[in-house]
Amino acid sequence: MKPSLPTSIDETLTLLQAQGYVADRALATVLFLALRMKRPLLLEGEAGTGKTEIAKVLAAGLGRRLIRLQCYEGLDLASAVYEWNYAGQMMAIRLAEAGGIAGDRERLESDLFSERYLVKRPLLQALEPQEGGAPILLIDELDRTDEAFEAFLLEVLADAQVTIPELGTVKAAEPPIVVLTSNRTREIHDALKRRCLYHWVGYPDAARELAILKAKTPAAPAKLAKQVVSFVQAIRKEELFKAPGVAETLDWASALVELDAVALDPAIVSDTLGALLKYQDDIQAMQGSKVGELLDQAKQAARG
């Protein structure tokens, strides 16, 4: 028996926690409302703060299929919605000519532009009936696409349908649960935002980040976990090209566990900064006395 949708904010929190996702109540509230109101959910925030993971744990917790559309510059309908199997169509035309039925043009055209030759991409797949209920449709990093693609999405988000000129309108019997993410490298158009519920996924506070680290990296010693979180919290306050997200915190903690570290010291921090910071200018700025200064702050905060 497939899990049912949560009936309260507390149940939504429990669903996320059962999949190892440590959410705050504000996120659980907007997710609960999106499920109840059947509205798409737009999640914005810095890279590495857990936006994509929300769709994944929602699919796992509800026992639904996850259909992911990874956005990129130049994404078009052929990659996102559908395209025709041109090779198959050309072969059918050649076979029709060889069989002497090429003259029945209307019949041939009807056959060529049927579902038999339709290649379904993520958005069209999400509108089809699925075993276990409507799928989770993840439209990831929408800010990488252009405004023309956003405009096309309006029909999908508002009416759960797409129009294929050769076949007509395809409408979902049960609309998919839609989660859109954006790293805000550009602004998403207001027309699309109006069709969604919205939530900013920010960096967690120290207590929640520690809970996330314990859930995702249980092998990390308690002392090390506290110091890692305190150090990351401190380094985010510095002038960096890209502050580390939660994903980087987990990567760094895992790297330290692999090195059998039980506590932070200046040498091991300097040697492993590449797991935490991903720009050379940031790494260089944190070397030397700066590491020692931040480490002292982190140890004091961890003890507190």
Side-chain angles (χ1 to χ4, degrees):
M1 183 177 178
K2 295 290 183 181
S4 58
L5 295 178
T7 59
S8 68
I9 298 170
D10 288 335
E11 281 190 17
T12 307
L13 273 170
T14 301
L15 183 149
L16 295 173
Q17 289 168 357
Q19 300 301 319
Y21 193 98
V22 183
D24 58 19
R25 194 168 183 84
L27 173 58
T29 299
V30 74
L31 182 56
F32 169 69
L33 291 174
L35 294 172
R36 293 285 290 182
M37 298 167 66
K38 298 183 179 180
R39 294 280 297 278
L41 176 60
L42 173 59
L43 301 171
E44 281 194 323
E46 298 291 341
T49 52
K51 302 181 297 297
T52 300
E53 193 69 14
I54 291 170
K56 293 180 178 179
V57 300
L58 191 61
L62 295 176
R64 308 288 183 99
R65 180 186 175 191
L66 175 66
I67 298 175
R68 179 175 182 173
L69 174 63
Q70 179 61 55
C71 298
Y72 54 87
E73 187 177 352
L75 180 65
D76 58 12
L77 298 187
S79 299
V81 190
Y82 76 96
E83 65 178 333
W84 295 103
N85 181 354
Y86 298 115
Q89 289 173 323
M90 289 301 299
M91 184 174 292
I93 292 171
R94 296 289 183 264
L95 290 173
E97 290 174 345
I101 61 171
D104 192 351
R105 183 174 177 178
E106 184 175 338
R107 176 186 167 189
L108 183 59
E109 285 184 355
S110 176
D111 183 52
L112 288 176
F113 293 101
S114 64
E115 286 203 31
R116 178 182 177 185
Y117 296 102
L118 185 66
V119 180
K120 299 175 182 179
R121 300 304 188 194
L123 292 184
L124 189 55
Q125 292 174 20
L127 301 181
E128 295 183 314
Q130 306 284 333
E131 184 179 351
I136 310 297
L137 172 60
L138 169 61
I139 303 176
D140 209 15
E141 297 184 320
L142 179 62
D143 52 319
R144 291 180 178 270
T145 63
D146 55 27
E147 293 187 1
F149 185 75
E150 272 190 48
F152 169 78
L153 277 181
L154 298 180
E155 181 184 18
V156 177
L157 298 181
D159 302 315
Q161 66 180 36
V162 296
T163 301
I164 301 175
E166 300 86 351
L167 289 178
T169 299
V170 178
K171 187 175 179 64
E174 183 181 2
I177 298 169
V178 184
V179 176
L180 306 97
T181 75
S182 167
N183 293 332
R184 209 176 185 183
T185 56
R186 70 170 179 84
E187 285 292 334
I188 303 300
H189 198 277
D190 287 346
L192 188 142
K193 283 188 173 182
R194 281 198 301 270
R195 287 161 172 79
C196 303
L197 298 185
Y198 176 87
H199 186 75
W200 176 266
V201 183
Y203 296 121
D205 60 21
R208 190 155 67 89
E209 190 158 24
L210 182 58
I212 294 168
L213 196 156
K214 287 180 177 179
K216 296 294 186 179
T217 316
K223 182 179 179 180
L224 177 66
K226 286 182 179 181
Q227 290 182 355
V228 163
V229 168
S230 297
F231 187 90
V232 172
Q233 293 279 325
I235 206 172
R236 286 192 187 125
K237 297 174 183 176
E238 300 296 316
E239 292 292 331
L240 299 174
F241 185 78
K242 172 64 178 71
V246 178
E248 283 75 31
T249 303
L250 300 176
D251 282 345
W252 191 37
S254 296
L256 293 168
V257 169
E258 291 295 328
L259 295 173
D260 297 322
V262 294
L264 295 182
D265 61 61
I268 200 167
V269 171
S270 296
D271 290 345
T272 57
L273 273 178
L276 186 64
L277 303 174
K278 302 304 169 68
Y279 289 89
Q280 177 57 25
D281 289 348
D282 290 344
I283 294 174
Q284 203 163 8
M286 292 299 112
Q287 294 290 359
S289 61
K290 192 64 179 178
V291 164
E293 178 188 330
L294 291 175
L295 189 52
D296 287 341
Q297 293 179 26
K299 288 182 176 180
Q300 289 177 10
R303 284 194 297 268

